[in-house]
Amino acid sequence: MNSVSFPFSAIVGQSQLKTALLLCAVDPSLGGVLIRGDKGTAKSTAARALVDILPPIKRTLGCAYNCSPNAPYEQCEICHDAAHVIQDSPVPFVTLPLGATEDRVIGTLDLERALKGAKRVFQPGLLAATHRGILYIDEVNLLPDHLVDVLLDAAAMGQNSVQREGLSVTHPARFTLIGTMNLEEGDLRPQLLDRFGLMVEVKAPQDKVQRSEVVRRRIAFEADPACYARSYQAQQTEFRNQVVKAQSLFVDVVLADDILDLISHLCCEFEVASLRADIVMHKVARALAALDGRTAVNLTDVKNAAEFVLPHRRRRKPFEQPGLDKERLDELMNEAAENQNAANENQAPSKPEPPRPESQAPAEQEGSNRALTEQNNATQPASEQIVSAALTHPSPKISVALSANSHSSAGRRSQVSEVARGRVLRTVPHENPDSLAIAATLKSAAMRDATEFSVKRSDLHQNIRTGKTANLILFVVDASGSMAAQQRMEAVKGAVLSLLTDAYQQRDEVAVISFRGEKASILLAPTRSVEQAELALRELPTGGRTPLSHALQLALDMLEQSHARHAPPLLIVLSDGKVNVAVQENGDPWRETLALAGLIAERAIPALVLDTETGYLRLGRANQLSQAMGAEYLTLEELSAGNLALTIYARMGRV
């Protein structure tokens, strides 16, 4: 029994989100929409509700590839059967789980038919099932890299190619990609981000009337989903009719050359590198006109298209949040409107105007001019200007060659063998495999007895996969009142933000523990979000005593939790080692610190101690700490020679 989705027409507010989804319904070649926002803002609800207002598609009953009856896949046995039946079916809506295997996504050898002695037969995967439909990914920024690579290939080619286990199969895989994400979990890889034609930022309504209406509708839906959905049937039909009309009108929509020049001008002004932005803006502007029942694109369509297409593609300064300068966009659109009006006034009516084709009737032209006038007179809300905090001191530098030891292969760029997911590196015999190597198993059975084919336990083979894993980089920073405290904190801030700028690709997490006064505290919980780190580190408190032992205890607790999540850690301690606060009452601060350092060494936690002690007379406590921890040791003088982030990359085997 199919579950009932919340009605698309019952969603309160979120007009931009609903418009973006309707645009993807009008023109599936847009590439889909990325929906970003906080938790509980109807991202998933709207995405799942879209399919209920889409007109059905024609497909062959039982076809696993969702072939179009007019262009069936040549290897589809169902579509080429003379007795096949064509029927109206709902648009496919396939959810791609984050834990899906690559075989399940792209397809694999049909093991059941192969064991029966049949020829090699391809078993289609999720990409085949989503052809001509919607592929939905919740928390798309957490999608494993090997699946991201598969999606990039399919999105670029419009087809899925499988070359494995003796199979050579290529089938159509054209789909609309809808992804949702929360920026607190980190950003997307740039290649995948650019594949989304549109992007929408959603927020929970701040008006109490709207919020209460959201709760009222949701509670009513959960009480009786089917009855609630029927109560919105009329509105759902209106949306479906609007989509059908727009789809038929879309092919007749005209975009003038001066409008196309404006699109390219906007892309240049906002420093958009990808030419895909120009193409998608062209399509979105036409789809907007079609949704409005027009066959001519106006300036309002271009402006609205820019707000969907450009924010996630424009060049950003370091640590700057995605978005679009709406004031600058308004200025450019006003200039375009003035130029268009001036061009219309300068047209000399010396020759009689030729008859307009039906697609550009006078009534339609008046509607276009009226929309342009409304766009010029509309008042725009003030844009929110996002300013990133500047460092008060340049980040200290460091350059050093570090010796590799345990865990040096960690990091997302580093290949790690024998993982549960990832690409197959090799196969080995294994009587109880948790990842069955199908081709190797069948080959072993066939070579053992070619006359009577059977698979025995001794034929079973295990896949040895190669994957990539992320790091947790934990900074423990002395923020006490000793010399150069502010410099240390600014060094950490620069390093954290630099690491996180790269972490959207590396999947690394960064955390910061600072210690001052009577205890240590978590200044930044483990995160992959540049924006969250920038906000947390904007104000860097310093001064007070030095509770180093408490900081190491807190670090051990955090690293223990990261070990449970299988995130290899790297501990970086910035301190002069002059501890003067104990964890235990009447305890010896320095003895406690050395004891905790010994625990870190026993657990073989990779660590780096950066000695910030200055002056002529030095106690050398930081060096003793590094020896007790089994950590590498660097001084403040060495810290000024290169870049701290580069040192950390070297420690993780990335440079």
Side-chain angles (χ1 to χ4, degrees):
M1 179 178 177
N2 295 328
S3 60
V4 179
S5 299
F6 190 86
F8 187 86
S9 55
I11 297 174
V12 178
Q14 306 294 11
S15 59
Q16 191 178 34
L17 170 58
K18 291 189 285 189
T19 300
L21 293 172
L22 290 174
L23 291 172
C24 292
V26 174
D27 183 8
S29 70
L30 291 178
V33 57
L34 175 64
I35 310 170
R36 304 197 321 178
D38 295 330
K39 301 174 287 292
T41 51
K43 301 188 299 295
S44 301
T45 299
R48 292 189 171 94
L50 175 64
V51 70
D52 290 334
I53 64 169
L54 297 179
I57 61 173
K58 297 286 186 182
R59 65 183 294 269
T60 302
L61 181 64
C63 174
Y65 298 93
N66 289 316
C67 300
S68 171
N70 299 326
Y73 173 48
E74 60 181 11
Q75 296 186 29
C76 181
E77 299 176 354
I78 300 296
C79 291
H80 289 282
D81 187 346
H84 69 271
V85 177
I86 297 176
Q87 64 177 10
D88 287 337
S89 298
V91 172
F93 185 91
V94 177
T95 299
L96 176 59
L98 296 180
T101 63
E102 188 173 339
D103 290 347
R104 183 68 186 95
V105 176
I106 67 175
T108 186
L109 179 70
D110 191 327
L111 180 59
E112 181 180 358
R113 298 179 67 174
L115 291 176
K116 292 179 179 179
K119 62 179 182 179
R120 293 188 181 95
V121 178
F122 178 66
Q123 184 177 27
L126 294 180
L127 290 181
T130 196
H131 178 50
R132 302 171 63 207
I134 296 172
L135 182 63
Y136 172 69
I137 310 173
D138 196 13
E139 303 295 348
V140 63
N141 50 325
L142 302 181
L143 194 67
D145 287 333
H146 64 284
L147 296 185
V148 172
D149 296 337
V150 168
L151 289 183
L152 288 174
D153 290 341
M157 305 301 296
Q159 59 187 19
N160 175 39
S161 295
V162 182
Q163 305 289 335
R164 61 195 308 171
E165 299 166 352
L167 294 170
S168 179
V169 176
T170 299
H171 66 80
R174 298 181 181 87
F175 50 84
T176 297
L177 185 61
I178 298 180
T180 62
M181 60 173 285
N182 186 340
L183 265 181
E184 293 178 355
E185 297 289 343
D187 213 335
L188 276 176
R189 284 173 56 180
Q191 298 93 332
L192 183 58
L193 183 64
D194 189 50
R195 284 292 170 185
F196 285 98
L198 298 79
M199 189 192 77
V200 178
E201 295 275 2
V202 295
K203 296 180 180 179
Q206 297 303 310
D207 180 69
K208 64 180 182 180
V209 176
Q210 276 196 334
R211 294 179 75 99
S212 62
E213 182 62 20
V214 170
V215 175
R216 191 176 296 110
R217 294 188 182 188
R218 187 67 201 185
I219 296 300
F221 172 76
E222 292 178 356
D224 191 343
C227 179
Y228 188 82
R230 285 194 298 270
S231 68
Y232 278 87
Q233 193 60 48
Q235 294 93 321
Q236 294 284 94
T237 302
E238 289 181 8
F239 271 114
R240 186 179 297 107
N241 292 339
Q242 183 185 14
V243 171
V244 171
K245 180 181 177 182
Q247 287 177 340
S248 61
L249 190 63
F250 179 74
V251 294
D252 297 324
V253 175
V254 177
L255 190 145
D257 285 342
D258 59 333
I259 298 293
L260 177 57
D261 292 339
L262 173 60
I263 289 174
S264 297
H265 178 62
L266 292 177
C267 292
C268 292
E269 285 294 320
F270 285 103
E271 299 182 352
V272 177
S274 173
L275 285 172
R276 189 173 287 111
D278 304 61
I279 298 172
V280 175
M281 274 190 68
H282 186 286
K283 294 181 178 180
V284 171
R286 293 175 58 215
L288 283 167
L291 273 176
D292 198 33
R294 293 178 281 106
T295 57
V297 174
N298 58 36
L299 295 185
T300 304
D301 299 327
V302 175
K303 179 177 182 296
N304 293 334
E307 294 178 349
F308 285 119
V309 177
L310 298 185
H312 61 299
R313 289 189 170 93
R314 69 175 182 82
R315 292 186 183 276
R316 287 184 279 166
K317 297 178 181 179
F319 322 132
E320 183 182 5
Q321 296 184 12
L324 200 63
D325 186 345
K326 292 188 177 181
E327 290 183 358
R328 178 57 178 159
L329 178 60
D330 290 340
E331 291 176 3
L332 295 172
M333 295 307 302
N334 289 334
E335 292 176 4
E338 292 173 0
N339 294 336
Q340 190 178 77
N341 291 335
N344 292 336
E345 292 176 359
N346 292 333
Q347 287 181 352
S350 56
K351 296 182 180 180
E353 186 177 354
R356 295 185 178 89
E358 292 183 0
S359 61
Q360 294 183 356
E364 178 185 309
Q365 187 66 33
E366 291 176 5
S368 177
N369 292 337
R370 183 169 59 255
L372 177 59
T373 303
E374 292 174 356
Q375 183 268 332
N376 291 333
N377 295 334
T379 58
Q380 299 293 337
S383 60
E384 297 179 359
Q385 189 173 8
I386 300 169
V387 181
S388 57
L391 297 178
T392 57
H393 303 284
S395 299
K397 309 276 187 172
I398 191 163
S399 176
V400 61
L402 297 175
S403 59
N405 56 13
S406 63
H407 301 283
S408 62
S409 63
R412 182 183 161 277
R413 290 181 186 171
S414 305
Q415 299 292 330
V416 181
S417 60
E418 300 184 15
V419 296
R421 294 183 295 175
R423 299 188 182 279
V424 177
L425 184 65
R426 64 183 183 277
T427 60
V428 296
H430 198 296
E431 292 190 356
N432 189 25
D434 53 18
S435 177
L436 179 64
I438 298 175
T441 299
L442 297 179
K443 186 181 295 184
S444 174
M447 293 179 64
R448 178 178 47 79
D449 190 348
T451 58
E452 184 177 350
F453 182 83
S454 64
V455 177
K456 298 183 178 180
R457 184 170 293 277
S458 59
D459 297 320
L460 299 180
H461 279 62
Q462 164 89 13
N463 281 322
I464 302 299
R465 299 180 181 272
T466 176
K468 299 173 182 178
T469 184
N471 284 99
L472 170 62
I473 306 169
L474 174 57
F475 290 88
V476 176
V477 190
D478 187 349
S480 65
S482 55
M483 291 182 61
Q486 184 65 30
Q487 184 181 9
R488 286 194 297 270
M489 297 299 288
E490 295 295 347
V492 171
K493 178 176 180 178
V496 167
L497 296 179
S498 177
L499 288 167
L500 284 175
T501 303
D502 187 52
Y504 70 89
Q505 288 184 327
Q506 307 310 317
R507 302 295 192 204
D508 292 330
E509 291 184 325
V510 178
V512 178
I513 294 175
S514 67
F515 56 97
R516 58 187 289 268
E518 297 298 322
K519 62 179 182 179
S521 60
I522 298 175
L523 191 62
L524 177 66
T527 182
R528 286 193 294 265
S529 171
V530 178
E531 289 76 14
Q532 294 293 320
E534 202 280 329
L535 291 174
L537 300 178
R538 182 171 294 173
E539 296 182 2
L540 305 173
T542 58
R545 304 174 71 188
T546 312
L548 176 57
S549 56
H550 187 263
L552 293 181
Q553 182 63 62
L554 196 59
L556 280 169
D557 295 340
M558 183 178 292
L559 293 176
E560 191 68 28
Q561 295 175 6
S562 75
H563 179 71
R565 301 198 313 269
H566 306 288
L570 174 62
L571 176 62
I572 302 172
V573 180
L574 286 84
S575 176
D576 55 14
K578 298 176 182 178
V579 57
N580 52 27
V581 178
V583 175
Q584 301 293 332
E585 187 176 356
N586 299 324
D588 186 324
W590 180 239
R591 290 182 180 276
E592 284 185 353
T593 301
L594 292 180
L596 290 167
L599 290 177
I600 293 173
E602 289 178 7
R603 298 177 186 180
I605 297 174
L608 176 66
V609 174
L610 302 178
D611 187 358
T612 59
E613 187 177 21
T614 58
Y616 182 73
L617 296 176
R618 304 186 182 184
L619 299 179
R621 289 287 182 90
N623 193 7
Q624 297 177 45
L625 177 65
S626 67
Q627 294 175 9
M629 293 173 58
E632 299 180 47
Y633 169 80
L634 295 171
T635 65
L636 185 63
E637 286 79 5
E638 292 171 307
L639 189 64
S640 62
N643 189 294
L644 177 58
L646 290 178
T647 300
I648 297 169
Y649 288 143
R651 181 63 188 77
M652 294 186 294
R654 295 185 184 171
V655 295

